[in-house]
Amino acid sequence: MNSTVIKTFKRNPFNEKLIHRYILESLYFYGGAKNSKNLLPSGFNQSDLLYAVPETVTNKKYRADFELHFKKNKKVPLEVKWVASEILKKNNNHQKKYLVENRGYLLVFNNDLKAESVPFEVKEIDMPNFQRLLSLNINKLSRQSLIENNVLSSIKDYWIIPLRGKLETNPAYKNYKKMKNEFSNHFWAFKNNKHITENLFNLNKSDEILFLFIDFPDEKNTNLNYFKNKKKSLLSTTRRMDIFAWAKVQVKNPYYVCLEGPKKDFFEPNNRYPENNYVHFFDFVTQDEDFSESNISTIFTGELNLDQQIAFNWNNTKGSPMKIPQSTYERINSILIANN
């Protein structure tokens, strides 16, 4: 008698990493105060959170799915499961032990445990909110997955990073040149800021970026105004932007957190606890550049519809990545090459 052979099609299209992505983005810039409260341990609010560090797995030491850093040098580990009782499985004993020893908590979709079953807090993810955000971002998530697996390598976004300051005193310009000289693998870091993290989460492998080291010779104020009065009427004048150095790069690693080691020390030397300073990084490879300092390219930002974007970027983030249309990117690049 022939035996029946059954091949079951796995119906679960997502793994636990998708929950990680949801948690990370919700903590930084999605979901609102109510949802953030559901994701944070008791006794902490959204305003207390500095940043979340995704897991770092090594052969020597286990770390939870996330380590949340709060004000006053407080750190709380977070483990993520679909169902709470998974933490009680024998092969998860190390996770349970780590949460107990480090006063961590567990975040799940379904809490099927009694309070006395585990000596740490268990919180539930708001399922409707998860489903809503998933549906709103499915195109972005699927596109990034295809790019990461080199399926859509020909599709890319285009960005600029405007770094303001005069040639003689521009700290970003000095740091960039020093980084290029001291490290074979090139990287850049940003301060902890909602606008910056949201842009970095939209950065993809193989995207192109123009680092622009710039000065505004006609601007007397430290901040770049884009409203002419208290009624917030936009300025009609065109802003002159001088580019005295630039680099065209391609993204290699779109986003990671770095809290220790040579890269962290480069931006924050001898700082054992960086609080809300430079923790968000990305890696890149250089395609073209000009650091001759004698070739100054002038762009009038109003002609490229960048006035308000440049002003907002400088006043609120001091030089984060800005996504721009490909046509604008290519026009700026053409001006830079022509003046090289």
Side-chain angles (χ1 to χ4, degrees), residues 5-40:
V5 178
I6 298 176
K7 297 292 184 180
T8 302
F9 177 72
K10 191 172 184 180
R11 296 172 61 88
N12 176 19
F14 305 130
N15 63 24
E16 209 172 83
K17 296 299 181 184
L18 183 64
I19 316 177
H20 294 188
R21 175 69 177 261
Y22 163 76
I23 292 170
L24 200 59
E25 295 199 14
S26 294
L27 289 176
Y28 279 130
F29 42 81
Y30 285 148
K34 181 179 179 181
N35 185 51
S36 298
K37 186 176 181 180
N38 289 337
L39 300 176
L40 294 174

Short mmCIF file of all heavy atoms in Angstrom, two decimals, residues 5-40:
data_model
loop_
_atom_site.label_atom_id
_atom_site.label_comp_id
_atom_site.label_asym_id
_atom_site.label_seq_id
_atom_site.Cartn_x
_atom_site.Cartn_y
_atom_site.Cartn_z
N VAL A 5 1.94 11.11 0.67
CA VAL A 5 2.96 12.14 0.86
C VAL A 5 2.28 13.50 0.78
O VAL A 5 1.66 13.83 -0.22
CB VAL A 5 4.07 12.03 -0.20
CG1 VAL A 5 5.09 13.14 0.00
CG2 VAL A 5 4.74 10.67 -0.12
N ILE A 6 2.39 14.25 1.84
CA ILE A 6 1.75 15.57 1.91
C ILE A 6 2.82 16.65 1.94
O ILE A 6 3.76 16.59 2.74
CB ILE A 6 0.86 15.69 3.16
CG1 ILE A 6 -0.27 14.66 3.10
CG2 ILE A 6 0.28 17.10 3.27
CD1 ILE A 6 -1.14 14.64 4.33
N LYS A 7 2.69 17.61 1.08
CA LYS A 7 3.58 18.77 1.06
C LYS A 7 2.74 20.01 1.40
O LYS A 7 1.85 20.40 0.64
CB LYS A 7 4.22 18.95 -0.32
CG LYS A 7 5.12 17.79 -0.75
CD LYS A 7 6.37 17.73 0.12
CE LYS A 7 7.31 16.64 -0.38
NZ LYS A 7 8.54 16.54 0.43
N THR A 8 2.99 20.58 2.55
CA THR A 8 2.20 21.71 3.01
C THR A 8 2.83 23.02 2.58
O THR A 8 4.04 23.22 2.71
CB THR A 8 2.07 21.69 4.54
OG1 THR A 8 1.47 20.47 4.94
CG2 THR A 8 1.21 22.85 5.02
N PHE A 9 2.01 23.88 2.06
CA PHE A 9 2.46 25.22 1.67
C PHE A 9 2.43 26.12 2.90
O PHE A 9 1.40 26.27 3.55
CB PHE A 9 1.55 25.78 0.59
CG PHE A 9 1.90 27.19 0.17
CD1 PHE A 9 3.04 27.44 -0.58
CD2 PHE A 9 1.11 28.26 0.54
CE1 PHE A 9 3.37 28.73 -0.97
CE2 PHE A 9 1.43 29.55 0.17
CZ PHE A 9 2.57 29.79 -0.59
N LYS A 10 3.57 26.71 3.22
CA LYS A 10 3.66 27.58 4.39
C LYS A 10 2.93 28.89 4.11
O LYS A 10 3.26 29.62 3.18
CB LYS A 10 5.12 27.85 4.74
CG LYS A 10 5.30 28.51 6.11
CD LYS A 10 6.78 28.58 6.48
CE LYS A 10 6.95 29.16 7.88
NZ LYS A 10 8.37 29.25 8.26
N ARG A 11 1.93 29.19 4.92
CA ARG A 11 1.07 30.35 4.68
C ARG A 11 1.53 31.61 5.40
O ARG A 11 0.92 32.66 5.26
CB ARG A 11 -0.36 30.01 5.10
CG ARG A 11 -0.97 28.88 4.28
CD ARG A 11 -2.31 28.44 4.85
NE ARG A 11 -3.27 29.53 4.83
CZ ARG A 11 -4.08 29.82 3.81
NH1 ARG A 11 -4.01 29.09 2.70
NH2 ARG A 11 -4.95 30.80 3.87
N ASN A 12 2.58 31.52 6.20
CA ASN A 12 3.07 32.69 6.92
C ASN A 12 4.10 33.43 6.06
O ASN A 12 5.24 32.96 5.92
CB ASN A 12 3.71 32.26 8.25
CG ASN A 12 4.32 33.45 9.00
OD1 ASN A 12 3.97 34.59 8.73
ND2 ASN A 12 5.22 33.16 9.92
N PRO A 13 3.75 34.58 5.48
CA PRO A 13 4.68 35.29 4.60
C PRO A 13 5.66 36.19 5.35
O PRO A 13 6.55 36.75 4.74
CB PRO A 13 3.75 36.13 3.72
CG PRO A 13 2.60 36.43 4.62
CD PRO A 13 2.44 35.24 5.54
N PHE A 14 5.49 36.35 6.66
CA PHE A 14 6.32 37.26 7.42
C PHE A 14 7.06 36.53 8.53
O PHE A 14 6.58 35.53 9.06
CB PHE A 14 5.47 38.37 8.05
CG PHE A 14 4.61 39.13 7.08
CD1 PHE A 14 3.27 39.31 7.33
CD2 PHE A 14 5.16 39.65 5.92
CE1 PHE A 14 2.47 40.01 6.44
CE2 PHE A 14 4.38 40.35 5.02
CZ PHE A 14 3.03 40.53 5.28
N ASN A 15 8.21 37.05 8.88
CA ASN A 15 8.90 36.52 10.05
C ASN A 15 8.96 37.60 11.13
O ASN A 15 8.43 38.70 10.97
CB ASN A 15 10.30 36.01 9.69
CG ASN A 15 11.21 37.12 9.18
OD1 ASN A 15 11.02 38.29 9.46
ND2 ASN A 15 12.21 36.75 8.40
N GLU A 16 9.62 37.28 12.21
CA GLU A 16 9.63 38.17 13.37
C GLU A 16 10.28 39.51 13.08
O GLU A 16 10.00 40.51 13.75
CB GLU A 16 10.38 37.46 14.52
CG GLU A 16 9.93 37.86 15.90
CD GLU A 16 10.55 37.00 16.97
OE1 GLU A 16 11.70 37.27 17.36
OE2 GLU A 16 9.91 36.02 17.40
N LYS A 17 11.14 39.55 12.06
CA LYS A 17 11.84 40.80 11.73
C LYS A 17 10.86 41.89 11.30
O LYS A 17 11.15 43.07 11.46
CB LYS A 17 12.86 40.55 10.61
CG LYS A 17 13.99 39.60 10.99
CD LYS A 17 14.81 40.14 12.15
CE LYS A 17 15.94 39.19 12.50
NZ LYS A 17 16.70 39.64 13.69
N LEU A 18 9.71 41.48 10.74
CA LEU A 18 8.73 42.48 10.35
C LEU A 18 8.16 43.19 11.57
O LEU A 18 7.92 44.40 11.54
CB LEU A 18 7.61 41.83 9.55
CG LEU A 18 6.54 42.80 9.01
CD1 LEU A 18 7.17 43.76 8.00
CD2 LEU A 18 5.40 42.05 8.38
N ILE A 19 7.97 42.44 12.66
CA ILE A 19 7.51 43.07 13.91
C ILE A 19 8.57 44.04 14.42
O ILE A 19 8.27 45.11 14.91
CB ILE A 19 7.19 42.03 15.00
CG1 ILE A 19 6.41 40.85 14.43
CG2 ILE A 19 6.39 42.67 16.13
CD1 ILE A 19 6.14 39.76 15.45
N HIS A 20 9.83 43.63 14.29
CA HIS A 20 10.91 44.50 14.72
C HIS A 20 10.86 45.83 13.97
O HIS A 20 11.02 46.91 14.56
CB HIS A 20 12.27 43.83 14.46
CG HIS A 20 12.49 42.61 15.28
ND1 HIS A 20 13.71 41.95 15.31
CD2 HIS A 20 11.67 41.90 16.09
CE1 HIS A 20 13.62 40.90 16.12
NE2 HIS A 20 12.39 40.86 16.60
N ARG A 21 10.65 45.74 12.68
CA ARG A 21 10.58 46.96 11.85
C ARG A 21 9.42 47.84 12.30
O ARG A 21 9.55 49.06 12.42
CB ARG A 21 10.42 46.55 10.39
CG ARG A 21 10.22 47.70 9.39
CD ARG A 21 11.50 48.53 9.25
NE ARG A 21 11.30 49.56 8.25
CZ ARG A 21 11.72 49.48 6.99
NH1 ARG A 21 12.36 48.41 6.56
NH2 ARG A 21 11.52 50.47 6.15
N TYR A 22 8.28 47.22 12.55
CA TYR A 22 7.10 47.96 13.00
C TYR A 22 7.38 48.67 14.32
O TYR A 22 7.05 49.85 14.50
CB TYR A 22 5.91 47.01 13.15
CG TYR A 22 4.78 47.56 13.98
CD1 TYR A 22 3.91 48.51 13.46
CD2 TYR A 22 4.60 47.15 15.31
CE1 TYR A 22 2.87 49.02 14.23
CE2 TYR A 22 3.57 47.66 16.08
CZ TYR A 22 2.71 48.60 15.54
OH TYR A 22 1.69 49.11 16.30
N ILE A 23 7.99 47.96 15.26
CA ILE A 23 8.29 48.53 16.58
C ILE A 23 9.25 49.70 16.45
O ILE A 23 9.04 50.78 17.02
CB ILE A 23 8.87 47.46 17.52
CG1 ILE A 23 7.79 46.42 17.84
CG2 ILE A 23 9.41 48.09 18.79
CD1 ILE A 23 8.32 45.20 18.56
N LEU A 24 10.30 49.51 15.67
CA LEU A 24 11.31 50.55 15.53
C LEU A 24 10.73 51.82 14.92
O LEU A 24 10.94 52.92 15.43
CB LEU A 24 12.46 50.02 14.66
CG LEU A 24 13.80 50.74 14.76
CD1 LEU A 24 14.32 50.70 16.19
CD2 LEU A 24 14.81 50.11 13.82
N GLU A 25 9.96 51.67 13.85
CA GLU A 25 9.39 52.84 13.21
C GLU A 25 8.31 53.49 14.08
O GLU A 25 8.17 54.71 14.11
CB GLU A 25 8.83 52.48 11.83
CG GLU A 25 9.91 52.03 10.86
CD GLU A 25 9.47 52.12 9.41
OE1 GLU A 25 8.44 52.75 9.14
OE2 GLU A 25 10.16 51.54 8.55
N SER A 26 7.55 52.67 14.79
CA SER A 26 6.51 53.22 15.68
C SER A 26 7.12 54.02 16.82
O SER A 26 6.62 55.08 17.19
CB SER A 26 5.64 52.09 16.25
OG SER A 26 4.90 51.46 15.24
N LEU A 27 8.21 53.52 17.37
CA LEU A 27 8.85 54.22 18.48
C LEU A 27 9.43 55.57 18.03
O LEU A 27 9.43 56.54 18.78
CB LEU A 27 9.96 53.36 19.07
CG LEU A 27 9.52 52.13 19.87
CD1 LEU A 27 10.74 51.33 20.30
CD2 LEU A 27 8.69 52.53 21.09
N TYR A 28 9.91 55.62 16.79
CA TYR A 28 10.54 56.85 16.32
C TYR A 28 9.54 57.86 15.77
O TYR A 28 9.59 59.03 16.10
CB TYR A 28 11.58 56.53 15.24
CG TYR A 28 12.90 56.07 15.80
CD1 TYR A 28 13.52 54.91 15.31
CD2 TYR A 28 13.55 56.78 16.80
CE1 TYR A 28 14.73 54.48 15.81
CE2 TYR A 28 14.77 56.36 17.30
CZ TYR A 28 15.36 55.22 16.81
OH TYR A 28 16.57 54.81 17.31
N PHE A 29 8.66 57.42 14.88
CA PHE A 29 7.85 58.44 14.23
C PHE A 29 6.46 58.01 13.78
O PHE A 29 5.76 58.78 13.12
CB PHE A 29 8.59 59.00 12.99
CG PHE A 29 9.28 57.94 12.15
CD1 PHE A 29 8.57 57.19 11.23
CD2 PHE A 29 10.63 57.72 12.29
CE1 PHE A 29 9.22 56.25 10.46
CE2 PHE A 29 11.28 56.76 11.53
CZ PHE A 29 10.58 56.03 10.60
N TYR A 30 6.00 56.80 14.10
CA TYR A 30 4.65 56.39 13.73
C TYR A 30 3.82 56.09 14.98
O TYR A 30 4.35 55.85 16.05
CB TYR A 30 4.67 55.13 12.86
CG TYR A 30 5.08 55.35 11.43
CD1 TYR A 30 5.77 54.37 10.73
CD2 TYR A 30 4.78 56.53 10.76
CE1 TYR A 30 6.15 54.55 9.42
CE2 TYR A 30 5.15 56.72 9.45
CZ TYR A 30 5.85 55.73 8.79
OH TYR A 30 6.22 55.92 7.49
N GLY A 31 2.52 56.03 14.79
CA GLY A 31 1.66 55.45 15.81
C GLY A 31 1.08 56.38 16.84
O GLY A 31 0.05 56.09 17.43
N GLY A 32 1.72 57.52 17.09
CA GLY A 32 1.18 58.44 18.08
C GLY A 32 1.49 58.03 19.51
O GLY A 32 2.02 56.95 19.78
N ALA A 33 1.14 58.89 20.45
CA ALA A 33 1.47 58.68 21.86
C ALA A 33 0.81 57.43 22.43
O ALA A 33 1.42 56.69 23.21
CB ALA A 33 1.05 59.91 22.67
N LYS A 34 -0.43 57.17 22.04
CA LYS A 34 -1.15 56.01 22.58
C LYS A 34 -0.47 54.71 22.18
O LYS A 34 -0.25 53.83 23.00
CB LYS A 34 -2.60 56.01 22.11
CG LYS A 34 -3.42 54.86 22.65
CD LYS A 34 -4.86 54.92 22.17
CE LYS A 34 -5.66 53.73 22.71
NZ LYS A 34 -7.06 53.76 22.22
N ASN A 35 -0.12 54.59 20.91
CA ASN A 35 0.53 53.37 20.45
C ASN A 35 1.93 53.22 21.03
O ASN A 35 2.35 52.13 21.40
CB ASN A 35 0.60 53.36 18.91
CG ASN A 35 1.16 52.05 18.38
OD1 ASN A 35 0.70 50.98 18.74
ND2 ASN A 35 2.15 52.14 17.52
N SER A 36 2.65 54.33 21.13
CA SER A 36 4.00 54.29 21.72
C SER A 36 3.94 53.81 23.16
O SER A 36 4.79 53.05 23.62
CB SER A 36 4.65 55.67 21.64
OG SER A 36 4.80 56.08 20.31
N LYS A 37 2.91 54.24 23.89
CA LYS A 37 2.75 53.82 25.28
C LYS A 37 2.56 52.31 25.37
O LYS A 37 3.05 51.66 26.29
CB LYS A 37 1.58 54.55 25.91
CG LYS A 37 1.43 54.29 27.41
CD LYS A 37 0.30 55.13 28.01
CE LYS A 37 0.19 54.89 29.50
NZ LYS A 37 -0.90 55.69 30.10
N ASN A 38 1.82 51.74 24.40
CA ASN A 38 1.62 50.29 24.38
C ASN A 38 2.92 49.53 24.11
O ASN A 38 3.03 48.36 24.45
CB ASN A 38 0.60 49.91 23.30
CG ASN A 38 -0.81 50.34 23.66
OD1 ASN A 38 -1.12 50.53 24.82
ND2 ASN A 38 -1.64 50.52 22.65
N LEU A 39 3.88 50.20 23.49
CA LEU A 39 5.13 49.53 23.11
C LEU A 39 6.24 49.72 24.14
O LEU A 39 7.25 49.01 24.09
CB LEU A 39 5.61 50.06 21.76
CG LEU A 39 4.66 49.85 20.58
CD1 LEU A 39 5.23 50.50 19.33
CD2 LEU A 39 4.39 48.37 20.33
N LEU A 40 6.06 50.65 25.06
CA LEU A 40 7.11 50.96 26.04
C LEU A 40 6.81 50.30 27.38
O LEU A 40 5.65 50.06 27.72
CB LEU A 40 7.22 52.47 26.24
CG LEU A 40 7.70 53.28 25.02
CD1 LEU A 40 7.60 54.77 25.32
CD2 LEU A 40 9.13 52.90 24.65
#
